Amino acid sequence: MALWKISAFVACVVGLALVIPSHAQNSPQDYLNAHNAARSAIVGANIPALLYDTTLEADVQLYLNTLLGQCNLNVDLSLNGINVKVKENLLTGLDAVNAWVNEEIYYDYNTNSCIGGICTHYTQVVWKSSVSIGCFRTQCLNNLNLWIVGCKYSPPGNIIGLRPY
């Protein structure tokens, strides 16, 4: 009888684990760690670490809510201090930040331009004068396989004519 109770308890716990969404790699600390790792990787630039701002997070949530009914794979943009990434299936916040950081290969510091691809998400991540971020992740309404992640930076970067660091 006791073995049956333990088995039922384990089955309940496993069932709950399948229903409760994972917050792994989507916490404010995960977003901060990924951003700050990219910022500190630029040798000699002395880019300060970012702080997390829940007010910016709320701004991102409001903005992403305007995209949820129409989001598609072509929504990836960096606009007005907000980086946005849309991806299929299990995109985590950490995956989005890593995708932005991977744009580094297209950034040419000497010409301060993107060569061969988009790099404006990357330049926003490492923008030296930005001091805080807020990020949010949610599922698209029109396609349940699509997730959208956004981060807002303060002050915003990608100012035309200026270098990120």
Side-chain angles (χ1 to χ4, degrees):
M1 185 76 155
L3 182 58
W4 179 84
K5 287 181 182 178
I6 291 172
S7 296
F9 174 75
V10 170
C12 259
V13 170
V14 170
L16 281 175
L18 294 174
V19 172
I20 298 172
S22 170
H23 296 289
Q25 301 180 329
N26 291 307
S27 74
Q29 194 61 53
D30 293 322
Y31 289 109
L32 271 178
N33 290 346
H35 277 82
N36 289 332
R39 294 164 72 87
S40 67
I42 302 171
V43 178
N46 297 320
I47 301 173
L50 293 169
L51 301 173
Y52 199 83
D53 185 327
T54 56
T55 301
L56 294 175
E57 178 183 322
D59 290 347
V60 173
Q61 182 178 5
L62 285 173
Y63 177 66
L64 294 186
N65 285 343
T66 68
L67 302 176
L68 290 181
Q70 59 189 355
C71 59
N72 60 57
L73 293 174
N74 298 318
V75 177
D76 298 348
L77 42 101
S78 179
L79 165 74
N80 298 326
I82 299 178
N83 277 349
V84 176
K85 179 75 176 168
V86 179
K87 182 121 172 120
E88 286 187 280
N89 300 326
L90 51 102
L91 180 74
T92 66
L94 185 57
D95 291 332
V97 177
N98 288 337
W100 298 331
V101 171
N102 288 338
E103 292 178 3
E104 177 185 16
I105 63 172
Y106 302 116
Y107 179 66
D108 181 66
Y109 185 83
N110 293 327
T111 63
N112 192 33
S113 62
C114 302
I115 299 175
I118 295 171
C119 69
T120 53
H121 300 97
Y122 167 73
T123 53
Q124 178 60 80
V125 168
V126 299
W127 199 266
K128 189 172 185 172
S129 63
S130 293
V131 296
S132 58
I133 59 165
C135 302
F136 190 77
R137 174 185 177 262
T138 191
Q139 194 169 25
C140 295
L141 297 175
N142 63 329
N143 183 337
L144 296 181
N145 290 325
L146 291 179
W147 288 84
I148 186 167
V149 175
C151 291
K152 184 173 183 179
Y153 304 78
S154 180
N158 288 333
I159 299 168
I160 295 173
L162 297 181
R163 284 184 164 76
Y165 49 89

